[in-house]
Amino acid sequence: MRTSIATVSVSGTLTEKLIAIATAGFDGVEIFENDLLVCPHPPEEIRARAADLGLGIDLYQPFRDFEAVPAAVLEANLERAERKFRVMERLGADLLLVCSNVSPASIGDDALAAEQLRRLAERAAEHGIRIAYEALAWGRHVNEYLHAWRIVRMADHPNLGTCLDSFHILSRGSDPIGIEAIPGEKIFFLQLADAPLLSMDVLQWSRHYRCFPGQGTLDVAGLVRHALNAGYDGPLSLEVFNDHFRQADTGRTARDGMRSLIALEQTLRGAAHPAVPTGFAFAELADADGSLSGVLSALGFTRTGSHTSKPVELWTQGEARMLLNAAGTDPALVALGLDSPDPARAVKHAETLLAPVLPRERAPRDASLDAIAAPDGTALFFCDTAWLGDFVGSGDPGDPAAGTVEAVPGRITHIDHVALTQPWHHFDEAALFYGSVLGLRPQESLELPDPYGLLRSRAMSTTPVSAAGTGTTDGGAGAAGAAEQVRMVLNIAQVGAGDTPWQHVALASDDLLSVARALRARHPELLLPIPGNYYDDLEDRHAVDPELRRLGVLYDRDEHGEFLHMYTVTVGRVFFEIVQRVGGYRGYGAVNAPIRLAVQHAGHPKMGQ
């Protein structure tokens, strides 16, 4: 379908916006009036620039507070409209968005509104222009889409139709099934926006928190299906008011908007994700100073091989595989390997969703591994088992390269999840990216207290979680299950906590207490110290084993099971978590996240302190 986006959805000047929108692959654009008013170029030049970029001007908007007014006000409004029509002719736009009246002076009279909108449509027809009437969710008398349609039908003019806006419809809880009662040819335009569920005034919600389809919780795809069933054949257009988007990189936001429409169209076609990853093949850590090898050795990992052409070591325990890259920077998580049933199809699918494929240098015998870049720069590799052939080595636990610290008996089985801190303005982009490119299902977004503000967090998983079984996490809600799934936690530090871009790898254990006892006895310096006050409160709330206090193990439970977990200290930007899910526990211990954050900040003061 034809794609379009309102200029209000991205940052920058009007000319910058047009370039970014065209580069992202959109077919058309809605010109938001304020963007034109502050532009130094005349409408004719904007028209020419859009044409040179291959963009049609699909809509000019908004025209406000027109209908259901006293006669004297109507005449002034018609004169105002005539001036807009002349601007539109210069701009090359033939569709004007008219929002339902919000003025206290407006009259609650549908017949009067229809009569006046008909007069507007008659004037517009003289200029070859059509009118799309939209019900604002906060309109004074008209705030429901079917109410707007009744007025359009009553006016009965070929140049008057309705504009449907997913936010205005879904934010009020209106049932979009009624769209199918509107003839498709009278749906002149379809504007799309998603939003997180928030309990607040709908006007403030609309002006600040809209997002692209797939980034919120509204059923935008369901609404579009109803419009298509009604016979709508116009553009799918994004109209998003979002404070973060208006400050973010223009091209990046436009590309993210296009990704959302591509993913939406795939959903509408009922297309299954071609290659959802089944698990973590590896986590790759930069380790220029070699500090992480000692940590892995202490956790029970063994160096089992070295890459045949790169300074990379393979460390394994059970099905958990870690790569240490000596050519990297200070300790940081730089790449993830994802087990894929069809790596080639996975990469092709990622490319259709505008994910950048990373260039790679290979030796002639290296496995063919393609990687894409996630929004935060993490490289994502789609893997079959061939990559293991790139590593050769002794697998001898006594090899000095395996580290000199005494190893804890191995009870780690696989990588349970990975947590990545996102730049503050990339959080929604990351959620859409991992959802569309990897097929991960987003869970509830949480705000967790941090000593310096708030930590916003959302978990995503390849395994869906039923509403009854959703559990909160140290980073969001997750899904229970075996190792053959991918769990990722996206974090963003807010309100002063943005200088701590920690990443962590959570390792699953089938006997966490044994691991904890061995670590406490042999390597207590590696464990994050947990305050005694935490255990005083924990023992008041739950009948837990007193040994948890001695070992520094944290605890949570939900209706499905129990959760034991513990943390290492941070090395560079990375720390490890060891977790054990007992029964069908589906969370990640969100109740304990503030404890971890406070202790980590105590050991890592803010810059300048």
Side-chain angles (χ1 to χ4, degrees), residues 475-538:
E484 290 75 20
Q485 67 171 289
V486 172
R487 298 184 185 94
M488 300 190 70
V489 177
L490 308 180
N491 295 323
I492 175 173
Q494 297 178 237
V495 195
D499 60 348
T500 52
W502 292 317
Q503 308 159 315
H504 84 261
V505 179
L507 304 167
S509 173
D510 58 6
D511 187 354
L512 184 138
L513 292 182
S514 291
V515 174
R517 291 184 193 109
L519 282 171
R520 179 63 61 187
R522 302 173 190 177
H523 309 293
E525 73 285 355
L526 289 180
L527 300 179
L528 194 71
I530 305 301
N533 293 334
Y534 165 77
Y535 292 102
D536 292 342
D537 177 70
L538 177 64

Side-chain angles (χ1 to χ4, degrees), residues 366-453:
D366 285 356
S368 177
L369 283 180
D370 288 316
I372 60 173
D376 66 350
T378 303
L380 303 178
F381 290 85
F382 297 99
C383 306
D384 53 24
T385 57
W387 70 274
L388 287 166
D390 289 350
F391 291 85
V392 295
S394 66
D396 179 7
D399 185 342
T404 58
V405 277
E406 184 181 2
V408 168
R411 303 291 291 190
I412 288 169
T413 57
H414 60 278
I415 296 175
D416 184 86
H417 67 276
V418 173
L420 303 172
T421 300
Q422 308 297 311
W424 67 271
H425 51 293
H426 295 167
F427 187 82
D428 289 329
E429 177 189 358
L432 176 62
F433 178 92
Y434 286 110
S436 60
V437 173
L438 299 187
L440 306 187
R441 307 290 185 88
Q443 306 302 323
E444 180 186 4
S445 184
L446 302 176
E447 289 186 348
L448 306 171
D450 179 283
Y452 298 101

Side-chain angles (χ1 to χ4, degrees), residues 211-230:
C211 53
F212 293 135
Q215 293 178 330
T217 56
L218 303 180
D219 184 11
V220 178
L223 182 142
V224 175
R225 283 194 187 94
H226 292 308
L228 297 179
N229 290 342

Side-chain angles (χ1 to χ4, degrees), residues 58-142:
D58 294 329
L59 184 74
Y60 187 65
Q61 62 117 334
F63 191 61
R64 303 183 188 276
D65 296 337
F66 172 81
E67 82 289 3
V69 295
V73 177
L74 175 65
E75 293 307 315
N77 284 347
L78 287 170
E79 284 302 311
R80 182 162 56 95
E82 285 287 351
R83 291 192 291 272
K84 296 303 179 203
F85 295 153
R86 290 193 288 273
V87 170
M88 291 175 66
E89 287 176 321
R90 298 169 64 193
L91 194 59
D94 62 2
L95 184 61
L96 175 66
L97 176 68
V98 176
C99 301
S100 61
N101 205 322
V102 300
S103 170
S106 64
I107 302 167
D109 184 333
D110 286 2
L112 180 63
E115 176 192 343
Q116 294 181 352
L117 283 169
R118 182 179 177 85
R119 289 189 62 182
L120 179 66
E122 289 170 347
R123 294 280 193 99
E126 296 173 2
H127 298 269
I129 289 170
R130 298 182 302 154
I131 303 297
Y133 182 53
E134 174 187 60
L136 293 178
W138 53 90
R140 182 164 180 81
H141 301 291
V142 179

Side-chain angles (χ1 to χ4, degrees), residues 2 20 113 168 323 409 422 499:
R2 180 178 174 82
H168 291 303
L323 303 184
Q422 308 297 311
D499 60 348

